[in-house]
Amino acid sequence: MAQISIKVDGVEYADAVEPRTLLVHYLRDQVGKTGTVVGCDTSNCGSCTVHLDGTSVKSCTVLAVQADGHEVTTIEGLAKDGELHPMQQAFHENHALQCGFCTPGMVMQSIDLLRDNPSPTEEEVRHGLEGNLCRCTGYQNIVKAVLAAAESAPVRIGTAGGTL
Amino acid sequence: MTVTEERPVTEVGSPRRRKEDGRLVTGRTRWTDNISLPGMLHLAMVRSPMAHATITSIDVEAAKSSPGVVAVFTGADLGDEQGSLPCAWPITADQKAPPHPSIAVDTVNFAGEIVACIVARSAVAAKDAVELVDLEYDELPVVVEMAAAAEGGNLTHPDLGTNVSATWVFDSAEAGTGGNVEDAIRDAEVLVERTFRQQRLIPAFMEPRSVVCDPTGEQTTLWSATQIPHILKLMLALTCGISESKLRVIAPDVGGGFGGKLQVTPEEVITLVVSRRLGKPCKYTETRSESLLAGHHGRDQIQTLTLSATRDGIVTGLKVDLLADMGAYLGLVTPGVPILGAFMYNAIYKFPAYRFECRNIFTNKNWTDAYRGAGRPEATFAIERLMDELAVEIGVDPLEIRERNWIKHEEFPFSTVAGLEYDTGNYEAATARAKELFGYDALRAEQRERRESGDPVQLGIGVSTFTEMCGLAPSRVLGALSYGAGGWEHASIRMLPSGKVEVITGSSGHGQGHETAWSQIVADRLGVAFDDVEVLHGDTQISARGLDTYGSRSLTVGGMAVVAAADKVIEKARPIAAHLLEANADDLEFTGGKFNVRGTDSSIGIGDLALAVFAAHNMPDGVEPSLDAEATFDPENFSFPHGTHLCAVEVDTETGETKIRSYVCVDDIGKVVNPLIVEGQVHGGLVQGIAQALWEEAVYDDSGTLVTGSFVDYLVPSAADLPHFTTDRTESPSSTNALGVKGVGEAGTIASTPAVVNAVVDALRHLGVRDIEMPCSPHRVWSALQHLDGDGSSSGADTPTEKTYVADDADPSHNAQLSGEDAGRAAADHGGLG
């Protein structure tokens, strides 16, 4: 077992993990962050996307031990004091989710996308999300939500760091 | 009763943001795989790599002694307790079906079939031990291709003596709904014969299936990522010999289904049986690879079609010969899927004669079952491709050929050649609006320019004017089709003393937004606030009766049950209101949530009545102190949404690459409860249909191994692959339900596949391409252009499949004997092939 210290959604955790443990399994099974989900086993679907030190990663392709000493933000760490993050709000307002399974990963990736490119074109949003699969929405309202978030709240999204 | 100020005049029709979203966007979700119970054990499945083999030995000793492993079960270990997985739709009395154990006992019949189950203290320990089970097999001949299987040869199930499970026929002459199609073919001035292949698809819902079973209570509780908790409860009880009353099934948050979770799965049965054996809670969650390998597949049909017409392009008959690949077993509704299509081949058209014959075929592949549209996308594709081909033969625009044949809006209600009665529709209006939004004439002009200039990137325009039967289904019709259950839906309404309302629905949403839409319906009906309505579903202990969610049935059937329950609440409240208002019940009118005495200011709200009934201090004599009501709604007819979809595709003739340039759809789904939800359903549906046209295919190799067993190979499209869609609606309210609604869950998927393929073919037709087999991958498109036949034509398919015959003007009788292949030969003789 390996000893790791990780800050997850603002809280410090110190745990023993099997070295082979994937970050997503550590988050779900040991920290209880079940908002982050597993949708595939080939890193294609992006459902497990979280932020590692403020940058999006697919947590199925990161070992928990690689996150030792780092800071992770999950979908559960975005809303503050009962107020949705602007990207969560934009997904809600624009009906950018149906079953909602891909949504945590899609929201986390969308935030990262706007941090890299605060004023993207529709085409840039589509390409920025190509690592995240959705089977319900046909993506149209997801793209619309990301563009709406870029329009409405560039400052807050632009400050995405470890803590959001 | 609180009424929010921003409340719209009517909730129905308003684009309410969804109630469901709050938990889903914040990760406060209740997926089955999130559930963890004290002492819970974890299951992993050992799956056969062989497609067809006898199991000669299983050695589980090494697996049993692996760290953390508690038990290992084989098929023999489960014995009779695992029963045989159910098929609820025997389409014929003599349908052949093999036994279907959840864990294979003696033989395996497809690659991916479960041969043993590991139970361990952690999921990781269970998976580690999978590799330690040592199985030996004797290989048997593998049956992969359904066309060959249909003709005999090697048998998927030697005990059955045939690969044909059932043959099902509908003939309009026999049914009295139309003429004899052989007469129509004999007398045809134009014959179009084509064979189309509906490739095998995988539903690919985003949430992998998961099941948790807790046997420790008086009732065994089973959570499953399922579309059908009610059906599952009954079927598990019957399959495993458990008292139905000792079983509770819960579908918590479910991450998509598209038919793929309309099943009683081996994994559910195994988890139930094993957890009861061990007396411990157990969980099984599939990997994506397992999901693609062993979650049921969809489509997989070969359609041989003969369309007869006059020289003016008026269709006189349609004959359909279908082969449907069941795979190795019959799942819950597997045999009925092609039958659902049987009633839709005539689509929006006035065909006078029709014959449909389907043979259901066994092969050594994963079994097929419902996938979004289930039978209707296949039928719609076939007829919409054929109508384009007919337009080419007649030399008119594809929209013109449709208009010559479709049911005019003033001809509704219309009894079809397949025996259905379409209640309402307006194909003219939807088509006119779609043409306008699409810029049809301008795109045709651009297409001409590109053709004339020899542009390497050609433009194609595809048309699909579809209808579907949805709102499954009138119980008497299902009975006539030998389906094992009815098609009703149940709802109940609980009026709480605080004025809040609980709505319990038998529909089991998994992304559709029922919680929001049902709240809108009830808010209007009872005059309460949207936020005061709570919708409960998906737990058989709360929602005791139901038939669940599939076949675009939730609103047209489940929503109508909610309406009926709400109306009963009002009628139960009426005598109580009259008593309290000291008025005659006949003098009361119920509007805006209040009973008013006509012509006076005297009134009482439904919330106040709920409180008065709770107290029950002052009730009229003989009236029970409750406003709660329940209702079961059985639809009198299907509903028939329709629409016109237009697609422009650019095809690079040098690389075979296709790009959707624009896509316009105008759907008529009757009245709309929530336009936001409707639009989302259309978008998602379109993409699944487009994906069939261009990208997705479950491919097996000759040994019966699935070679598209991960998301690396099975190409679910991403945002970058897709265009922005233009959607609009026309509205012909259904006349068969009080809401006037028709259902929208499958519309986009049914309509879009032929629109896209018609566009791809249209882009290349002037170069001699007349068909491209789906999915129209760059390789297939490019190959079609490289392998033009001697006369400059290419079917683009693996096997040439098309024949067209145009009768000789001078001798209309010469084709009197034509049918099938003869027609093709005659066509060749007359130079009319192509």
Side-chain angles (χ1 to χ4, degrees):
Chain A
M1 300 291 267
Q3 198 67 32
I4 58 169
S5 298
I6 304 181
K7 193 173 187 179
V8 181
D9 294 336
V11 177
E12 293 281 359
Y13 295 86
D15 281 305
V17 297
E18 273 196 72
R20 64 173 171 169
T21 304
L22 299 174
L23 178 58
V24 66
H25 290 137
Y26 170 72
L27 291 171
R28 286 178 57 81
D29 300 339
Q30 284 186 252
V31 187
K33 295 286 182 183
T34 52
T36 301
V37 295
V38 181
C40 75
D41 44 15
T42 47
S43 294
N44 286 90
C45 82
S47 296
C48 64
T49 303
V50 299
H51 292 175
L52 184 62
D53 295 334
T55 300
S56 71
V57 294
K58 291 180 176 179
S59 60
C60 71
T61 34
V62 178
L63 294 166
V65 292
Q66 290 176 290
D68 182 24
H70 295 275
E71 187 164 352
V72 172
T73 304
T74 78
I75 189 75
E76 294 172 66
L78 291 184
K80 295 283 183 238
D81 303 323
E83 189 186 340
L84 294 179
H85 183 281
M87 190 62 75
Q88 293 172 311
Q89 188 66 36
F91 268 59
H92 173 56
E93 289 296 331
N94 292 282
H95 187 37
L97 63 150
Q98 290 178 33
C99 84
F101 193 81
C102 76
T103 307
M106 204 64 86
V107 167
M108 300 310 285
Q109 179 59 23
S110 297
I111 292 170
D112 196 44
L113 189 162
L114 290 196
R115 206 205 46 220
D116 282 350
N117 180 1
S119 302
T121 63
E122 178 184 336
E123 200 59 23
E124 287 168 339
V125 172
R126 287 182 178 276
H127 281 280
L129 295 177
E130 69 181 345
N132 290 68
L133 298 179
C134 169
R135 193 61 158 169
C136 295
T137 66
Y139 303 101
Q140 184 142 322
N141 287 346
I142 293 175
V143 173
K144 192 173 160 194
V146 176
L147 291 170
E151 188 75 23
S152 69
V155 176
R156 183 160 171 206
I157 287 171
T159 60
T163 54
L164 280 172
Chain B
M1 189 68 28
T2 53
V3 177
T4 52
E5 284 182 10
E6 67 276 19
R7 188 172 147 199
V9 179
T10 60
E11 285 290 346
V12 170
S14 142
R16 274 281 184 190
R17 271 54 181 172
R18 297 197 320 168
K19 292 184 166 188
E20 293 86 341
D21 292 354
R23 64 178 188 272
L24 296 172
V25 298
T26 54
R28 290 184 288 109
T29 39
R30 300 166 295 173
W31 314 113
T32 301
D33 188 47
N34 292 359
I35 295 168
S36 188
L37 299 171
M40 188 171 80
L41 300 172
H42 298 261
L43 272 52
M45 305 301 170
V46 183
R47 294 177 185 276
S48 168
M50 319 293 284
H52 198 194
T54 304
I55 302 169
T56 55
S57 75
I58 307 181
D59 182 351
V60 299
E61 291 312 311
K64 273 185 176 170
S65 56
S66 183
V69 170
V70 173
V72 180
F73 293 97
T74 64
D77 293 334
L78 295 193
D80 292 342
E81 212 178 329
Q82 67 171 328
S84 181
L85 288 161
C87 171
W89 201 338
I91 57 167
T92 60
D94 61 351
Q95 171 176 287
K96 292 184 169 56
H100 191 179
S102 290
I103 302 185
V105 181
D106 301 316
T107 61
V108 291
N109 293 300
F110 74 95
E113 190 165 0
I114 297 168
V115 291
C117 168
I118 312 281
V119 188
R121 293 181 60 199
S122 72
V124 168
K127 280 173 187 152
D128 284 347
V130 165
E131 301 297 323
L132 302 175
V133 175
D134 191 15
L135 281 123
E136 288 181 19
Y137 301 91
D138 271 351
E139 290 188 48
L140 296 168
V142 177
V143 179
V144 177
E145 290 299 329
M146 81 174 113
E151 301 311 318
N154 291 325
L155 294 177
T156 306
H157 300 285
D159 289 350
L160 298 181
T162 175
N163 286 320
V164 180
S165 173
T167 301
W168 191 93
V169 176
F170 177 88
D171 189 308
S172 63
E174 291 169 14
T177 54
N180 186 323
V181 81
E182 297 301 342
D183 294 344
I185 291 169
R186 186 194 61 219
D187 298 336
E189 293 171 352
V190 178
L191 272 183
V192 180
E193 292 189 273
R194 293 289 186 276
T195 300
F196 296 129
R197 181 173 157 275
Q198 299 286 328
Q199 78 269 35
R200 182 174 273 249
L201 299 175
I202 303 180
F205 36 77
M206 286 311 298
E207 180 207 15
R209 298 172 307 163
S210 178
V211 55
V212 172
C213 185
D214 181 2
T216 61
E218 183 57 30
Q219 275 189 321
T220 293
T221 303
L222 183 127
W223 292 261
S224 183
T226 180
Q227 294 174 229
I228 52 163
H230 298 91
I231 294 172
L232 183 60
K233 177 184 167 177
L234 173 62
M235 288 297 156
L236 285 175
L238 295 176
T239 302
C240 301
I242 298 169
S243 169
E244 192 186 350
S245 61
K246 293 291 185 191
L247 199 54
R248 173 186 184 186
V249 174
I250 301 173
D253 283 332
V254 176
F258 317 111
K261 290 172 180 170
L262 167 51
Q263 193 57 267
V264 178
T265 69
E267 293 84 356
E268 286 163 336
V269 169
I270 294 166
T271 307
L272 173 66
V273 172
V274 165
S275 72
R276 285 166 62 88
R277 282 268 183 103
L278 299 174
K280 289 272 200 182
C282 287
K283 172 154 79 176
Y284 168 76
T285 301
E286 67 184 1
T287 63
R288 176 58 61 181
S289 301
E290 286 180 292
S291 189
L292 297 173
L293 185 68
H296 75 241
H297 292 175
R299 311 282 195 271
D300 209 351
Q301 299 179 357
I302 296 171
Q303 306 163 306
T304 303
L305 308 141
T306 308
L307 186 81
S308 60
T310 68
R311 216 171 267 106
D312 294 332
I314 305 299
V315 176
T316 56
L318 174 65
K319 184 175 157 186
V320 178
D321 279 306
L322 200 67
L323 290 179
D325 195 335
M326 304 287 98
Y329 295 105
L330 303 182
L332 190 63
V333 298
T334 302
V337 170
I339 310 309
L340 283 172
F343 303 95
M344 283 288 112
Y345 277 86
N346 51 297
I348 65 170
Y349 308 112
K350 295 183 283 190
F351 295 171
Y354 171 56
R355 181 184 165 85
F356 170 95
E357 179 169 332
C358 173
R359 281 182 293 162
N360 285 349
I361 308 299
F362 288 119
T363 59
N364 291 116
K365 292 179 289 196
N366 187 9
W367 79 87
T368 56
D369 208 313
Y371 171 52
R372 203 170 191 171
R376 291 153 291 163
E378 298 93 310
T380 303
F381 179 88
I383 190 58
E384 289 305 294
R385 283 285 296 113
L386 279 182
M387 293 307 273
D388 261 32
E389 298 300 304
L390 179 62
V392 170
E393 285 312 317
I394 304 299
V396 299
D397 184 275
L399 282 171
E400 170 65 25
I401 203 78
R402 286 166 171 81
E403 189 170 354
R404 288 185 192 182
N405 285 283
W406 71 35
I407 304 158
K408 294 178 175 56
H409 71 274
E410 64 271 19
E411 292 174 319
F412 288 91
F414 185 87
S415 296
T416 76
V417 74
L420 297 177
E421 181 165 295
Y422 294 176
D423 58 345
T424 60
N426 191 331
Y427 310 138
E428 298 94 325
T431 301
R433 180 68 181 139
K435 276 184 79 173
E436 179 189 340
L437 288 170
F438 191 64
Y440 190 83
D441 296 335
L443 281 164
R444 283 286 181 209
E446 181 184 334
Q447 179 183 46
R448 277 194 297 276
E449 283 166 23
R450 290 204 193 198
R451 284 182 178 182
E452 282 161 13
S453 68
D455 193 327
V457 178
Q458 288 292 318
L459 181 67
I461 294 167
V463 174
S464 170
T465 49
F466 84 105
T467 188
E468 59 162 324
M469 55 189 261
C470 65
L472 305 180
S475 296
R476 64 185 160 77
V477 176
L478 293 177
L481 293 173
S482 308
Y483 180 61
W488 48 263
E489 193 48 87
H490 187 78
S492 56
I493 292 182
R494 298 197 289 233
M495 301 299 294
L496 305 181
S498 60
K500 309 290 182 189
V501 181
E502 288 176 342
V503 176
I504 297 109
T505 173
S507 304
S508 189
H510 40 283
Q512 292 87 347
H514 293 169
E515 293 167 39
T516 301
W518 281 206
S519 295
Q520 291 179 269
I521 292 169
V522 171
D524 275 357
R525 213 79 189 173
L526 294 181
V528 298
F530 173 79
D531 290 331
D532 286 345
V533 183
E534 195 71 25
V535 177
L536 308 174
H537 62 91
D539 179 345
T540 60
Q541 199 167 79
I542 296 168
S543 165
R545 266 169 70 77
L547 283 171
D548 308 314
T549 285
Y550 42 87
S552 303
R553 71 188 305 271
S554 290
L555 181 58
T556 51
V557 190
M560 278 304 303
V562 169
V563 168
D567 289 349
K568 284 188 181 179
V569 167
I570 295 166
E571 288 319 303
K572 284 184 80 171
R574 188 180 298 277
I576 303 166
H579 177 73
L580 294 175
L581 293 171
E582 298 179 343
N584 189 319
D586 294 338
D587 293 336
L588 298 184
E589 58 184 7
F590 184 74
T591 53
K594 287 180 177 176
F595 285 98
N596 300 284
V597 183
R598 283 193 194 87
T600 74
D601 295 336
S602 181
S603 69
I604 186 166
I606 192 91
D608 293 332
L609 282 166
L611 184 61
V613 164
F614 173 73
H617 295 162
N618 184 14
M619 294 288 294
D621 289 342
V623 173
E624 67 165 334
S626 168
L627 298 184
D628 297 355
E630 56 183 298
T632 301
F633 178 81
D634 201 335
E636 62 179 82
N637 194 358
F638 297 93
S639 68
F640 302 98
H642 69 83
T644 297
H645 290 224
L646 299 173
C647 177
V649 173
E650 290 180 342
V651 182
D652 188 326
T653 58
E654 292 172 347
T655 65
E657 189 183 3
T658 56
K659 183 170 189 278
I660 297 180
R661 162 118 151 241
S662 68
Y663 195 104
V664 168
C665 63
V666 177
D667 287 302
D668 189 330
I669 57 159
K671 288 281 184 189
V672 165
V673 172
N674 185 321
L676 207 61
I677 289 176
V678 162
E679 207 173 301
Q681 286 284 329
V682 170
H683 294 158
L686 290 178
V687 169
Q688 286 185 22
I690 290 168
Q692 175 175 10
L694 296 179
W695 301 298
E696 292 181 20
E697 181 175 19
V699 180
Y700 282 86
D701 67 13
D702 292 343
S703 67
T705 300
L706 180 70
V707 296
T708 52
S710 79
F711 274 165
V712 176
D713 314 288
Y714 190 80
L715 302 180
V716 171
S718 80
D721 299 315
L722 294 157
H724 182 90
F725 304 111
T726 301
T727 63
D728 201 357
R729 285 185 282 107
T730 52
E731 191 173 292
S732 309
S734 171
S735 63
T736 61
N737 65 66
L739 289 169
V741 296
K742 294 182 176 177
V744 70
E746 296 158 300
T749 301
I750 290 170
S752 62
T753 311
V756 174
V757 176
N758 276 340
V760 173
V761 174
D762 185 56
L764 305 176
R765 192 179 294 273
H766 66 294
L767 301 173
V769 173
R770 294 197 171 83
D771 191 23
I772 312 264
E773 193 170 288
M774 293 188 293
C776 301
S777 61
H779 178 253
R780 280 216 174 98
V781 173
W782 183 85
S783 295
L785 286 162
Q786 309 312 308
H787 299 101
L788 299 171
D789 296 342
D791 66 350
S793 72
S794 169
S795 72
D798 292 345
T799 50
T801 56
E802 60 164 282
K803 300 162 193 163
T804 306
Y805 168 72
V806 181
D808 192 323
D809 279 346
D811 185 10
S813 66
H814 94 233
N815 61 330
Q817 303 304 315
L818 287 180
S819 69
E821 290 179 8
D822 289 338
R825 280 199 295 277
D829 291 346
H830 286 74
L833 185 65

